[in-house]
Amino acid sequence: MLILNNTNSQAPTFLLTGIPALRAAQVWISIPFCLLYVIALFGNSVILLVIFHEHSLHEPMYYFLSLSVTDLSLSLCTLSTTLGVLWFDAREINLNACIAQMFFLHGFTFMESGVLLAMSFDRFVAICDPLRYTTILTNARIAQIGITVLIRNVAVMLPVVLFVKRLSFCRSLVLSHSYCYHVDLIQLSCTDNRINSILGLFALFSTTGFDCPCILFSYVLIIRSVLSIASSDERQKAFNTCISHISAVAIFYIPLISLSLVHRYGHSAPAFVHTIMANVFLLIPPVLNPIIYSVKTKQIRKAIIKFYLRSKAKCNQ
């Protein structure tokens, strides 16, 4: 039996998977995928441009919408392989390219989780301690939060990547998705992958597994604080400031948790279920986040309209 690892002259080459049982229709199915990618790239780019150009949005609450950077990066790091598989049936990917894509895919996913946690802290301070908001969330503090999230991601992902490179592969090298996913990759190994599984779980629990309970706890405190407000109008106003963030948390964590559960416990599920969950996890948050923030956040909506009118005026000159 041929055993392939990263030290051999013949490095392993994996086969990505499009949509099982529908390969003949993949070109047509790729059209909505392509449209979703375009919406994700355009929407997040607009949000970032507006925040960068509009000085009125240079505040902590809007700095945390750097969430759009992670959404943009998530879309870009899987765009080439997903559309390559669907359009040209370009399924081959070598181990090093697969590991690089896996590093950025999981890294940006964990970064998005960290940004959502930072945003929940922002909402907690704004509602529970509004008088100290500007002194607590200074530009320096926001920079420290961003650097901490980045360092955490690199620290948890480096061991995962290094131990994947030590694996040997001698079975079917067909991956379940159109991109490289850690659990999917290590399941193809014919050597002991328990350390890889432990490292993957540690990375998951030390990032999203830590962030999600903290976000829930912050909202318990927020709700308790809001319910103590005497005026019903003020209560509603306070809740409205959290709607966009709650929506972003839901569309990020629900697909992520569902995909993890399907991978670990849904071995008997049809391959089509894995494909749907993988693409929902990949595309829904980057597509919906810009829509949610532009619709639910009045300042963002006004800034987008202002930016559009200014750009249109410049074009007409």
Side-chain angles (χ1 to χ4, degrees), residues 87-143:
W87 281 350
F88 309 111
D89 201 30
R91 299 178 61 199
E92 292 189 356
I93 184 169
N94 65 48
L95 178 62
N96 291 330
C98 193
I99 288 174
Q101 186 181 54
M102 183 191 73
F103 175 83
F104 287 111
L105 173 65
H106 291 288
F108 285 124
T109 301
F110 296 153
M111 189 176 292
E112 183 158 352
S113 177
V115 173
L116 288 171
L117 175 60
M119 291 172 73
S120 71
F121 177 66
D122 169 81
R123 292 298 82 208
F124 168 74
V125 176
I127 292 173
C128 299
D129 198 0
L131 296 179
R132 297 179 59 205
Y133 180 79
T134 53
T135 57
I136 293 175
L137 285 171
T138 61
N139 289 340
R141 186 68 52 80
I142 293 169

Side-chain angles (χ1 to χ4, degrees), residues 4 12-16 169-175 188:
L4 298 174
T13 298
F14 299 92
L15 294 177
L16 301 169
F169 301 90
C170 55
R171 290 184 291 189
S172 169
L173 300 182
V174 180
L175 297 167
L188 299 180

Side-chain angles (χ1 to χ4, degrees), residues 5-317:
N5 59 34
N6 206 37
T7 62
N8 292 344
S9 58
Q10 184 183 4
T13 298
F14 299 92
L15 294 177
L16 301 169
T17 299
I19 301 175
L22 294 173
R23 289 187 66 182
Q26 279 186 169
V27 174
W28 296 106
I29 295 171
S30 70
I31 295 174
F33 275 87
C34 187
L35 288 174
L36 288 173
Y37 271 113
V38 169
I39 293 169
L41 295 174
F42 176 76
N44 287 289
S45 298
V46 167
I47 294 289
L48 289 173
L49 279 172
V50 167
I51 292 173
F52 179 77
H53 284 286
E54 291 296 327
H55 294 289
S56 61
L57 298 181
H58 292 180
E59 298 178 7
M61 177 182 174
Y62 305 108
Y63 286 145
F64 287 126
L65 287 182
S66 59
L67 179 70
S68 296
V69 173
T70 59
D71 282 336
L72 197 60
S73 302
L74 268 174
S75 300
L76 288 173
C77 74
T78 57
L79 175 66
S80 59
T81 55
T82 300
L83 293 185
V85 169
L86 295 178
W87 281 350
F88 309 111
D89 201 30
R91 299 178 61 199
E92 292 189 356
I93 184 169
N94 65 48
L95 178 62
N96 291 330
C98 193
I99 288 174
Q101 186 181 54
M102 183 191 73
F103 175 83
F104 287 111
L105 173 65
H106 291 288
F108 285 124
T109 301
F110 296 153
M111 189 176 292
E112 183 158 352
S113 177
V115 173
L116 288 171
L117 175 60
M119 291 172 73
S120 71
F121 177 66
D122 169 81
R123 292 298 82 208
F124 168 74
V125 176
I127 292 173
C128 299
D129 198 0
L131 296 179
R132 297 179 59 205
Y133 180 79
T134 53
T135 57
I136 293 175
L137 285 171
T138 61
N139 289 340
R141 186 68 52 80
I142 293 169
Q144 289 171 358
I145 292 171
I147 292 169
T148 302
V149 170
L150 184 61
I151 292 173
R152 182 187 71 169
N153 293 343
V154 174
V156 299
M157 281 306 300
L158 273 180
V160 171
V161 168
L162 293 175
F163 275 86
V164 166
K165 290 180 73 70
R166 294 164 59 92
L167 292 175
S168 298
F169 301 90
C170 55
R171 290 184 291 189
S172 169
L173 300 182
V174 180
L175 297 167
S176 301
H177 309 308
S178 57
Y179 54 85
C180 295
Y181 192 69
H182 180 253
V183 177
D184 195 18
L185 184 61
I186 66 173
Q187 284 176 349
L188 299 180
S189 171
C190 59
T191 50
D192 189 356
N193 62 9
R194 282 178 294 181
I195 294 177
N196 300 82
S197 185
I198 291 168
L199 285 172
L201 286 171
F202 173 76
L204 187 66
F205 284 116
S206 62
T207 52
T208 55
F210 171 79
D211 298 341
C212 188
C214 290
I215 291 170
L216 291 174
F217 180 66
S218 70
Y219 270 99
V220 169
L221 297 178
I222 287 170
I223 290 170
R224 189 178 70 173
S225 178
V226 169
L227 291 177
S228 66
I229 298 173
S231 170
S232 60
D233 291 337
E234 290 297 321
R235 285 200 299 270
Q236 185 175 356
K237 185 179 178 181
F239 275 126
N240 285 339
T241 63
C242 299
I243 288 175
S244 56
H245 179 247
I246 292 171
S247 302
V249 169
I251 64 173
F252 173 76
Y253 280 106
I254 292 173
L256 178 64
I257 294 169
S258 301
L259 179 62
S260 298
L261 290 174
V262 166
H263 260 291
R264 294 194 180 276
Y265 307 111
H267 301 295
S268 60
F272 192 73
V273 173
H274 289 258
T275 303
I276 291 174
M277 291 307 306
N279 289 299
V280 165
F281 153 70
L282 187 68
L283 286 172
I284 294 301
V287 168
L288 291 184
N289 277 335
I291 297 171
I292 289 169
Y293 282 108
S294 58
V295 170
K296 292 295 183 181
T297 309
K298 184 169 65 175
Q299 292 85 346
I300 292 286
R301 188 168 63 250
K302 287 183 177 179
I304 290 173
I305 295 170
K306 183 180 176 181
F307 182 77
Y308 169 74
L309 293 174
R310 187 190 303 157
S311 302
K312 187 177 179 181
K314 286 181 179 178
C315 292
N316 292 332
Q317 287 178 355

